[in-house]
Every structure is written in C-alpha cells, then in structure tokens.
Amino acid sequence: MSGNLGTGAGMDEVFKALADPSRRALLDSLNARNGQTLRELCAGLDMARQSVSKHLAVLEEAGLVATVRRGREKLHYLNAAPVHEIAHRWISRYDQARVQALADLKLALEETPMDAPTFVYTTYIRTTPQKLWQALTDPAFTRRYWATEFITDWSVGSPMTWDNHGVLISDPEQVVLEADPYSRLSYTWHAITPELAKRFGWDEEMLARLSGEARSKVTFTIEEAAQQVVKLTVVHDGFESGSSLAEMVSHGWPNVVASLKSLLETGEPLPDDA
C-alpha cells in the first residue's frame, strides 16, 4: 500500500520518487500531455524503454502516476492524490518554503491538459469494498462528504436524479452505466441547468459553455489492496477537447475523494474550508 500516505511510509516514497530528475521529467511530460503510452513517453523524452519503465514503476509505487488500460495499450496519467493528502494531513509540519513548493506541485498535478481531458485519480482507503460501495451510493454518506444525493435504484440503464448542493437535476441522459457491487460503478455526469448556475454563481456565458458540452461520465473502480485497505480509482472522461467542465472537475475531484477518505477512516468528512 505504498501509494497511501495513511498506511506508513507513503510520504517518504513520494519525496524519494520526486528526487530523481528523470522521474520529474516524466511527470513534466505527463503534465504537458496526460494519458501517454510507454512508447510516447520514450519518444518524447529520448529515454530508453527500459529506463522509462523502471522510473514509471517507482512513480506508480509512490502513487504519483496512475494507469488506465484502453484495449491493448496502457495509458499513464498524473495522480494528485499523494501530494493532495500531504497538503491536507502534513502541511503544518513544513516551513513556508516547502508549503509553497507543495502547493505549486499540487496545482500542477491537478491541472488537466486540454489536449487530453481525462481525469484519473487513485487513492488508498482504510475500509472494505462493501463500505466504500455504500459510501459511493447511499445518500446518507454522499451528502456528508459531497453535499450530493442520488435518487436511483442503481440498475444499469436506470435514470438518476441528482440533488446537487440542494438543486434537483433530472435529465433522460443521466443514467447508470455500470453497477457491479463492491467492484465497479459508472454513470453519466449530471446536466448543467440554470438552477445549478444560480447556485454556484455562474454567469450566462459560463452556463451556455458548460450546458453545450457533450455528456461526460465518471467511473469508480474498487480493488482490495490489503486487509482492510481498498484502492479506489476515479476516471472522469468523455470530455470534448478544450472542455471547461474537465478543468472544473480536475480541481473538484481531489477534494471530494479526500473528504470521502476522511469520512471512512475517521468518521468525519473534511471541514468545508479544508
């Protein structure tokens, strides 16, 4: 469970992984263009395939890179979870210069390049697959860490009504795509409505831009990593090139998942101002 700062030596592994200039170059390459294959990373950095593979293994072990399989290819994505957790849990232990360095890195890792608008986020949670599934689907849980509730029976193809921060959102295209209890959950993202725009203070231009985008989807993959430790991977994709919503969710998901993790591990979500 090396990728989890809450399970032991994760923080040391993150800083060890970042100490090598070649690994930082790999992260820079992914920050410039996320979702690259091994072949693309090798070509872009003029590094031998074996060297890139070894460095990627270290970055994956530290949780700084997450992978998603697409057919025969494995795509590599920046994962902000380790730095995000440091910022939330360990920031008081660092002097101001280190705080600024972490803040800059956290921001860089969370930015989704617009030429590959797919958000991938992986974290480890001290819980069980059953409890994590409940936390993702049960309104009693979702409202605590997300201020959101879902009205659905969680059957594939079933409609979903969102209660998002007190705004009810219904739309025929808001449906459950996959629902394999304790393993995998996927659904289309909610519609953008005038009521939601009013709730968040978006102007008419922002509302028009967001509501005109193609429907996106989010997928949660749950894997047992160790006894009472679960690996959660969140993939939000289906965005158009240059998507404004992709940029918004890339900043929102780390906070949602960190609060979910806190709720399951401590019994309390993160405070609103975290």
Side-chain angles (χ1 to χ4, degrees):
M1 286 350 6
S2 52
N4 180 23
L5 296 176
T7 60
M11 184 174 65
D12 294 334
E13 292 183 1
V14 170
F15 284 109
K16 180 181 178 181
L18 292 172
D20 186 280
S22 295
R23 290 194 282 272
R24 292 199 300 272
L26 280 169
L27 293 177
D28 286 339
S29 178
L30 289 174
N31 191 45
R33 187 165 67 86
N34 222 354
Q36 296 186 60
T37 63
L38 176 60
R39 177 180 53 80
E40 290 170 332
L41 285 168
C42 293
L45 293 173
D46 194 26
M47 292 172 59
R49 184 183 183 91
Q50 185 177 12
S51 297
V52 173
S53 295
K54 288 182 178 179
H55 287 309
L56 283 174
V58 174
L59 291 169
E60 287 187 56
E61 188 71 12
L64 288 164
V65 168
T67 60
V68 176
R69 284 207 169 274
R70 294 289 169 84
R72 296 182 178 180
E73 294 185 321
K74 187 163 71 169
L75 305 183
H76 299 81
Y77 292 88
L78 288 170
N79 179 37
V83 177
H84 193 272
E85 291 177 24
I86 289 173
H88 275 299
R89 297 175 181 224
W90 299 93
I91 208 73
S92 62
R93 299 189 182 188
Y94 291 86
D95 59 31
Q96 189 58 44
R98 288 174 178 169
V99 168
Q100 187 59 54
L102 283 172
D104 291 344
L105 178 58
K106 173 176 173 290
L107 179 62
L109 290 177
E110 288 178 7
E111 289 179 348
T112 302
M114 290 300 100
D115 64 340
T118 295
F119 176 83
V120 179
Y121 193 95
T122 297
T123 192
Y124 293 82
I125 305 175
R126 287 187 180 277
T127 189
T128 64
Q130 292 77 12
K131 289 180 180 177
L132 180 52
W133 180 269
Q134 185 180 16
L136 292 172
T137 58
D138 188 338
F141 279 84
T142 58
R143 76 167 70 101
R144 293 191 63 193
Y145 66 87
W146 198 353
T148 298
E149 298 177 26
F150 306 107
I151 304 169
T152 182
D153 64 7
W154 295 113
S155 298
V156 173
S158 290
M160 299 176 66
T161 295
W162 291 52
D163 183 340
N164 191 321
H165 294 80
V167 177
L168 285 177
I169 307 170
S170 295
D171 185 277
E173 294 185 17
Q174 284 176 194
V175 297
V176 179
L177 299 174
E178 297 180 68
D180 185 2
Y182 322 133
S183 177
R184 189 173 171 89
L185 178 67
S186 180
Y187 47 81
T188 53
W189 198 242
H190 64 74
I192 304 296
T193 66
E195 293 78 14
L196 197 64
K198 182 178 180 181
R199 166 66 179 78
F200 288 110
W202 300 332
D203 59 22
E204 290 295 326
E205 181 182 356
M206 175 64 79
L207 172 60
R209 185 161 65 247
L210 292 175
S211 59
E213 291 190 12
R215 177 76 60 178
S216 62
K217 67 176 182 181
V218 61
T219 302
F220 304 90
T221 302
I222 301 169
E223 303 171 83
E224 284 194 82
Q227 187 174 7
Q228 295 292 310
V229 176
V230 176
K231 177 184 178 183
L232 172 65
T233 300
V234 182
V235 177
H236 196 150
D237 60 5
F239 301 107
E240 299 173 335
S241 178
S243 166
S244 296
L245 185 59
E247 183 177 1
M248 294 171 69
V249 301
S250 73
H251 292 281
W253 274 120
N255 294 317
V256 171
V257 177
S259 193
L260 163 64
K261 176 182 173 74
S262 178
L263 177 61
L264 287 170
E265 292 186 343
T266 72
E268 292 294 333
L270 294 177
D272 291 340
D273 60 351

